[in-house]
Amino acid sequence: MEKKNLIEDNINNLTDFWKTVGTPFLSYHKNDTFEYCKIENSGWPNKLWLRNDITKNNLPEIIKTMQSNSGLVLPYWDIFGTKSYEILDAYGFTLKTEQVAMALKLDQKFALQNTLSFKKIDNEQDAKIWSDLYPNAFGYVISKEILIHNHTDVHFYLVFQDNQPIGTFMLFQTGNNIGIHGVGVIPEMRRKGFAEEIMKFALNLSIDLKAGYALLQASAMGKDIYTRLGFEDLFIIKNYVLKTE
């Protein structure tokens, strides 16, 4: 598949994911310029995004919306070749994090060590375990209500080692693509190869679900693993927040 199509697919999978989880809470909103999703009592997704390149004319409404919905993050897709993110730098935004959007053609399964076990979330009790564990890995909350309302559209998985929950991941399918999200391991279980094992399981599961490509957005911490597994870079995502006084 052409890189241009994979870039579009990556953004569509990610933003459809936010839209899907926000809709049951009446938290997804759209206007002519941007879309946003802010779920109360949850640290995620809480994003405001544009389909097109950003301009100065967009800023007043974006700033007003972000001021009235605290905690919103604006992801800037660096795909336009315009350096228009400099507008954000100049008008009261702060770069919070950067990620690399990546893709992998799914054509062969990975061998597993079978040191971990995996459980798909389908009840409130497991949703609570997942939700309690997630902030230990990521530093922000995904409320258990999100899992309860979306477990038919999203594959939420708990990861166990010796019957102890140690990690999480989510799969969200759009057409021929699967987005792999929220791959995390609690700090005390890191540097043991578990994150890579979780990814291999998730990729094998994606093949079972008949996906042709796996898509993700890598933090600096996870990128080496994904590159090692064969993922290729697509573009940079710059995540902005409003400067606090």
Side-chain angles (χ1 to χ4, degrees), residues 52-214:
N52 301 308
D53 200 3
I54 197 164
T55 68
K56 286 181 188 176
N57 293 339
N58 304 146
L59 288 181
E61 194 175 3
I62 288 172
I63 291 170
K64 181 181 174 186
T65 302
M66 292 180 73
Q67 284 173 338
S68 57
N69 293 274
S70 63
L72 281 182
V73 175
L74 191 164
Y76 173 87
W77 332 114
D78 198 0
I79 60 174
F80 302 105
T82 59
K83 290 194 174 179
S84 54
Y85 59 84
E86 291 175 352
I87 297 170
L88 298 172
D89 292 330
Y91 282 85
F93 289 81
T94 302
L95 183 64
K96 184 183 181 186
T97 56
E98 278 195 5
Q99 297 166 293
V100 182
M102 307 180 82
L104 173 70
K105 185 173 173 57
L106 295 169
D107 49 16
Q108 60 181 29
K109 286 197 171 184
F110 292 87
L112 298 177
Q113 306 286 341
N114 295 317
T115 53
L116 302 175
S117 56
F118 301 86
K119 186 174 188 184
K120 189 173 188 289
I121 304 302
D122 61 4
N123 62 71
E124 187 168 353
Q125 183 180 351
D126 288 339
K128 184 176 188 319
I129 296 170
W130 193 103
S131 182
D132 288 346
L133 183 90
Y134 191 89
N136 293 334
F138 285 94
Y140 62 89
V141 170
I142 293 182
S143 70
K144 79 175 192 300
E145 286 74 25
I146 289 178
L147 279 73
I148 291 164
H149 282 288
N150 288 285
H151 67 84
T152 54
D153 297 312
V154 183
H155 302 267
F156 297 97
Y157 271 83
L158 257 177
V159 184
F160 297 84
Q161 200 239 356
D162 294 335
N163 295 317
Q164 291 299 313
I166 63 148
T168 60
F169 73 90
M170 304 177 269
L171 298 182
F172 181 68
Q173 191 159 4
T174 44
N176 192 42
N177 304 300
I178 278 200
I180 302 178
H181 307 276
V183 176
V185 176
I186 55 176
E188 57 269 33
M189 300 303 283
R190 289 177 185 159
R191 306 199 182 283
K192 299 176 187 287
F194 292 149
E196 186 163 340
E197 186 76 355
I198 293 169
M199 276 301 301
K200 288 177 178 177
F201 178 87
L203 290 166
N204 290 353
L205 183 57
S206 299
I207 290 172
D208 290 340
L209 292 166
K210 305 288 190 268
Y213 280 86

Side-chain angles (χ1 to χ4, degrees), residues 225-244:
I225 293 172
Y226 309 138
T227 301
R228 200 158 56 239
L229 292 171
F231 279 84
E232 296 184 1
D233 296 8
L234 295 175
F235 61 97
I236 302 292
I237 302 170
K238 297 173 177 284
N239 293 301
Y240 283 91
V241 293
L242 282 178
K243 280 180 187 162
T244 50

